[in-house]
Amino acid sequence: MFEEQPPSVQNRVKSLASEAQAQNQPYAWFEPLYAQANGNADQVPWAKSTAHPYLQMWLPEQPQPPAHSKALVIGCGLGNDAEALQAHGYQVTAFDVSPTAIAWCHQRFPHSAVDYQVADLFHLDPSWNQAFDLVYECRNIQALPIPLRQQVVGAIALLVAKTGQLLVVTRIRPDEQECEGPPWPLSPFELAEFENYGLVETDRATFVEGETVTVQQARIIYQYA
């Protein structure tokens, strides 16, 4: 969790994000963060050596997907979540805006069946529209400034097949009060934005993490009505 990272890592993230926003490139800070880590995952605050624990808890409860079911991992980072979904039976495509992150995935999993790609959420291949039976979004929305929320939600919703699911893991905040970031937890109003694209929340699990600083987290499933 971000609060458990050394202050040097937290400060670097905030500095890179602020610089990117000042240049009107709000997600340009991911590549320098990965590049400056120099192969040390401890310098990437969200990096884990295994799949995200909320995904690990969810997957065993799910039936094995039908043959040729496709999953998409948004902002895949170092690839652990993508590998877990592949092992569960999905044909997985995973992308990140950071070339360094994708190169890192190839290095970590040289024989993986996951299709790792460098891609920008706001400029994806049109053939991906409504193409995935499961779309997995873990903590990317919260890493982008609040004014981008509507655009981000729309880009993600477009990827979910009409009979598919969207799985979101994110921090949440209880109201619409402004907050500092990154990350910027999602409010009820911001999460409800998915409904404007026809997606309905069908399941939610909430968690509280941290000791000195507590953070509310949620794992939410959306489907088309």
Side-chain angles (χ1 to χ4, degrees):
M1 194 170 65
F2 185 74
E3 288 80 4
E4 296 173 350
Q5 299 296 322
S8 59
V9 174
Q10 297 184 37
N11 292 336
R12 185 165 70 257
V13 167
K14 292 181 181 296
S15 176
L16 288 170
S18 296
E19 182 178 343
Q21 287 186 71
Q23 296 174 356
N24 200 29
Q25 297 178 314
Y27 51 97
W29 59 277
F30 293 106
E31 170 57 17
L33 179 70
Y34 282 106
Q36 292 174 20
N38 292 318
N40 180 2
D42 291 338
Q43 298 303 306
V44 180
W46 49 82
K48 298 180 181 295
S49 59
T50 60
H52 194 284
Y54 302 161
L55 179 63
Q56 291 187 58
M57 287 188 285
W58 182 78
L59 274 177
E61 301 172 354
Q62 311 309 310
Q64 187 168 358
H68 310 299
S69 294
K70 296 180 179 180
L72 179 69
V73 179
I74 296 169
C76 64
L78 302 188
N80 293 296
D81 293 345
E83 296 296 325
L85 289 168
Q86 184 76 32
H88 191 69
Y90 286 100
Q91 295 179 355
V92 179
T93 300
F95 76 90
D96 203 287
V97 73
S98 166
T100 298
I102 295 300
W104 206 333
C105 290
H106 286 302
Q107 181 181 20
R108 296 185 72 215
F109 307 107
H111 306 297
S112 176
V114 175
D115 179 13
Y116 288 108
Q117 299 189 31
V118 178
D120 181 336
L121 176 63
F122 301 116
H123 302 91
L124 295 177
D125 187 331
S127 68
W128 288 11
N129 292 355
Q130 297 185 350
F132 296 96
D133 303 290
L134 176 67
V135 174
Y136 177 60
E137 149 49 28
C138 182
R139 301 183 298 183
N140 292 287
I141 305 174
Q142 69 180 38
L144 297 172
I146 290 174
L148 284 178
R149 291 284 155 88
Q150 185 176 11
Q151 184 180 359
V152 178
V153 167
I156 292 172
L158 190 62
L159 302 166
V160 185
K162 285 299 183 181
T163 56
Q165 292 182 312
L166 168 63
L167 171 58
V168 174
V169 173
T170 186
R171 295 177 179 213
I172 55 175
R173 66 186 199 273
D175 52 41
E176 306 306 319
Q177 289 186 355
E178 292 187 7
C179 57
E180 294 184 1
W184 295 271
L186 276 70
S187 71
F189 178 81
E190 290 162 352
L191 286 168
E193 183 69 26
F194 283 109
E195 297 177 6
N196 293 331
Y197 298 91
L199 288 164
V200 176
E201 181 179 323
T202 59
D203 185 68
R204 178 185 296 213
T206 56
F207 312 88
V208 177
E209 292 187 0
E211 296 178 359
T212 57
V213 178
T214 58
V215 177
Q216 257 194 313
Q217 313 262 359
R219 184 187 64 216
I220 307 171
I221 298 293
Y222 295 91
Q223 294 175 289
Y224 283 102

